[in-house]
């Protein structure tokens, strides 16, 4: 991984191809970027399309380095062909390449975005907390334990719950993490109570979860009472967020049902995780170059704002 | 592919759409063999009609987990569109293009074509990027 940004070779090559393709324009056909990437590196569109879209997807990367106009997919649906979408650099993506060229100091994007989205073992961290921890390392005599407490446990862009051997992870050891969707029982305004399933683990989608719950329903109907009356896909109209609502039979205690739901793969996933070094050491490395550090931390913070827009 | 049964089902279910791409060019007389059926759909009050029409043909919709029967799909990605598969061939359902064009824009320049069954569909002979 790059010492300047923590990004991998493929991501850097994609960013360089996009920067060259856009050449001052905000957006260019994604197919054009992929074509230039192939010409320069031999990495073909079949391999590079998903990693390119991942650099823009808010459920994959805390800090997007590209922006995509058009259908770049969702947790449930595949993206459009690259000839039907456009992409361009975000300000943070441009800054990442500047860091790679040595035009500015280190930008610890890899520490925040992690590598689990590409099948690696480094989990992502909350960007606001990571920035706070880096600033704390640079400006105070905080202990390693203080820095680890400030950055907090790994945090995935989907907002799922994270548990597991967090101390071992922070020490730089291999660790198992358990990623679980957020389940909330809701008292229904009509006759039925329901359980809302939100903030899914990465690589899970509502369609998959609905199918697995239905599978469980079919298995349980002959063994024990499975008090799921229906499953609905709902949309929060203002935010556009969609989630699953598991409608329960009348007078059902939701707690046992929630425990059963948490046993379903896709609602709960385990991942193998390991940091390249102890977490405090990574934070201190990001803070080591204090020349222009506040400016660089502001650039990272700008990346957070663009991700939430 | 032969898009006629699909178009007739959509018409029967009162779906509002414009045929674009290779099928449109073929219906308008170009000597081209359509690869698939591209439709720009009008979503206003029409989602369920389209779902019913495609369910009649046991259509599958492409999701990340694979091809799923349309009746078993919870929420379809209507923002841009989705890919479907019927026993008559593949369809692309499009709700908007990246240049902002929607059903209204394509319908404004579409031409009517009468099918053998007597049903009429509207076609705009667009050329996809190679």
């Amino acid at each position: 991984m790059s010492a300047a940004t923590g990004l991998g070779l493929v991501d850097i090559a994609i960013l360089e191809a996009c920067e060259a393709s856009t050449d001052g324009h905000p957006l260019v056909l994604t197919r054009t970027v992929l074509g230039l990437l192939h010409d320069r590196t031999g990495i073909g569109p079949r391999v590079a399309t998903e990693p390119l879209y991942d650099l823009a997807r808010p459920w994959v990367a805390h800090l997007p380095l590209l922006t995509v106009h058009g259908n770049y997919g969702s947790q449930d649906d595949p993206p459009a062909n690259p000839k039907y979408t456009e992409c361009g650099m975000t300000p943070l993506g441009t800054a990442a390449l500047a860091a790679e060229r040595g035009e500015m100091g280190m930008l610890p994007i890899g520490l925040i975005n992690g590598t689990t989205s590409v099948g690696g073992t480094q989990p992502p961290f909350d960007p606001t907390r990571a920035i706070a921890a880096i600033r704390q390392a640079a400006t105070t005599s905080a202990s390693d334990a203080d820095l680890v407490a400030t950055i907090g446990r790994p945090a995935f862009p989907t907002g799922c719950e994270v548990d597991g051997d967090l101390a071992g992870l922070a020490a730089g050891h291999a660790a198992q993490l358990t990623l679980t969707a957020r389940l909330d029982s809701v008292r229904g305004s009509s006759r039925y109570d329901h359980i809302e399933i939100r903030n899914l683990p990465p690589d899970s989608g509502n369609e998959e979860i609905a199918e697995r719950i239905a599978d469980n329903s079919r298995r349980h109907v002959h063994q024990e009472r499975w008090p799921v009356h229906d499953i609905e896909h709902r949309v929060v109209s203002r935010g556009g967020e969609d989630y699953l609502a598991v409608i329960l039979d009348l007078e059902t205690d939701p707690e046992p049902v929630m425990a059963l739901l948490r046993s379903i793969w896709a609602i709960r996933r385990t991942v193998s995780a390991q940091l390249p070094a102890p977490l405090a050491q990574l934070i201190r490395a990001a803070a080591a170059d204090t020349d222009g550090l506040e400016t660089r931390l502001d650039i990272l913070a700008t990346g957070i704002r663009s991700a939430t827009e | 592919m032969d898009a006629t049964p699909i178009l007739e089902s959509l018409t029967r279910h009162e779906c509002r759409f414009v045929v674009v791409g290779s099928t449109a060019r073929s219906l308008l007389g170009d000597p081209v063999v359509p690869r698939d059926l591209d439709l720009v759909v009008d979503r206003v009050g029409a989602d369920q009609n389209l779902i019913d029409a495609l369910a009649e043909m046991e259509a599958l919709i492409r999701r990340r987990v694979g091809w799923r029967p349309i009746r078993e799909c919870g929420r379809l990605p209507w923002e841009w569109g989705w890919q479907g598969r019927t026993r008559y061939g593949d369809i692309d359902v499009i709700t908007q293009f990246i240049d902002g064009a929607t059903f209204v824009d394509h319908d404004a320049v579409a031409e009517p074509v009468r099918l053998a069954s007597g049903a009429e569909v509207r076609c705009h002979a667009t050329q996809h990027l190679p």
Side-chain angles (χ1 to χ4, degrees):
Chain A
M1 310 300 281
S2 159
T5 59
L7 295 174
L9 292 177
V10 172
D11 287 346
I12 294 169
I14 291 171
L15 292 174
E16 289 174 338
C18 186
E19 184 179 62
S21 298
T22 47
D23 190 26
H25 298 285
L27 295 170
V28 67
L29 278 179
T30 303
R31 180 181 68 170
T32 302
V33 175
L34 292 169
L36 183 59
L37 176 69
H38 183 233
D39 290 344
R40 287 180 164 190
T41 67
I43 300 172
R46 186 175 299 174
V47 171
T49 299
E50 285 288 330
L52 183 150
Y53 284 141
D54 274 348
L55 291 173
R57 289 166 169 159
W59 65 92
V60 173
H62 283 302
L63 301 175
L65 304 181
L66 292 181
T67 184
V68 171
H69 176 55
N71 178 11
Y72 60 12
S74 72
Q75 289 171 273
D76 279 311
D77 296 291
N81 187 296
K83 64 184 178 183
Y84 300 126
T85 65
E86 297 172 324
C87 66
M89 305 290 285
T90 63
L92 183 58
T94 300
L97 289 184
E100 288 294 328
R101 290 188 291 259
E103 296 166 5
M104 73 163 67
M106 183 194 189
L107 272 179
I109 298 168
L111 173 64
I112 293 169
N113 279 354
T115 65
T116 49
S117 63
V118 296
T121 58
Q122 186 174 340
F125 287 90
D126 178 273
T128 302
R129 297 187 69 156
I131 291 171
I134 295 169
R135 183 175 286 121
Q136 184 181 22
T139 59
T140 72
S141 55
S143 67
D144 286 356
D146 289 339
L147 297 179
V148 170
T150 298
I151 198 170
R153 60 183 61 200
F156 288 77
T158 60
C160 62
E161 298 173 350
V162 180
D163 222 324
D165 183 10
L166 301 177
L169 177 74
H173 303 149
Q176 289 288 310
L177 298 181
T178 303
L179 312 180
T180 311
R182 295 185 190 274
L183 307 184
D184 295 296
S185 65
V186 179
R187 196 84 196 171
S189 56
S190 58
R191 300 173 64 203
Y192 297 99
D193 296 340
H194 64 275
I195 296 169
E196 294 183 353
I197 305 176
R198 300 171 186 261
N199 303 107
L200 306 183
D203 300 324
S204 291
N206 285 328
E207 293 291 327
E208 179 186 9
I209 288 174
E211 189 171 347
R212 288 180 183 272
I213 294 174
D215 283 345
N216 271 267
S217 294
R218 284 187 283 271
R219 279 203 297 275
H220 277 76
V221 71
H222 299 298
Q223 298 170 21
E224 60 189 81
R225 188 166 172 264
W226 175 248
V228 173
H229 179 74
D230 198 3
I231 304 168
E232 294 179 357
H233 294 247
R234 295 183 176 178
V235 181
V236 178
S237 58
R238 182 171 296 179
E241 175 200 1
D242 61 334
Y243 63 95
L244 287 177
V246 179
I247 314 300
L248 304 177
D249 286 340
L250 292 175
E251 297 176 6
T252 298
D253 180 0
E255 290 302 323
V257 182
M258 291 169 74
L260 279 169
L261 290 174
R262 289 193 181 98
S263 70
I264 295 175
W265 185 257
I267 291 178
R268 169 168 285 174
R269 292 180 181 270
T270 56
V271 297
S272 299
Q274 185 165 14
L275 298 171
L279 183 54
Q281 184 176 325
L282 295 174
I283 296 169
R284 294 189 190 283
D289 180 6
T290 54
D291 185 23
L293 178 63
E294 274 305 316
T295 300
R296 286 183 273 122
L297 294 180
D298 283 345
I299 291 171
L300 288 176
T302 302
I304 301 169
R305 283 194 291 277
S306 75
T308 55
E309 284 165 3
Chain B
M1 70 171 289
D2 178 15
T4 305
I6 305 174
L7 296 174
E8 288 175 347
S9 178
L10 294 172
T11 306
R12 225 172 18 254
H13 285 83
E14 299 180 348
C15 302
R16 283 162 52 82
F17 60 92
V18 174
V19 182
V20 298
S22 58
T23 299
R25 298 201 305 279
S26 173
L27 288 172
L28 288 169
D30 281 3
V32 61
V33 177
R35 185 179 60 85
D36 59 6
L37 173 62
D38 296 314
L39 305 170
V40 185
V41 300
D42 179 16
R43 289 199 59 199
V44 178
D47 289 359
Q48 196 57 51
N49 290 4
L50 180 59
I51 291 171
D52 289 343
L54 294 177
E56 193 175 274
M57 291 174 284
E58 299 169 345
L60 304 174
I61 307 301
R62 185 168 169 243
R63 315 304 299 269
R64 274 204 182 272
V65 293
W67 293 93
R68 301 277 320 277
I70 191 168
R71 286 282 191 221
E72 294 180 14
C73 293
R75 181 183 177 224
L76 292 172
W78 290 103
E79 184 186 5
W80 295 99
W82 33 270
Q83 291 181 316
R85 176 163 289 175
T86 74
R87 55 180 176 268
Y88 304 107
D90 290 350
I91 58 173
D92 256 335
V93 173
I94 305 157
T95 56
Q96 65 169 321
F97 293 86
I98 55 173
D99 63 359
T102 63
F103 165 82
V104 171
D105 303 291
H106 286 273
D107 190 53
V109 295
E111 300 173 53
V113 172
R114 193 162 294 279
L115 304 176
S117 63
E120 185 179 279
V121 297
R122 294 180 62 71
C123 300
H124 179 201
T126 61
Q127 184 89 37
H128 285 333
L129 295 170

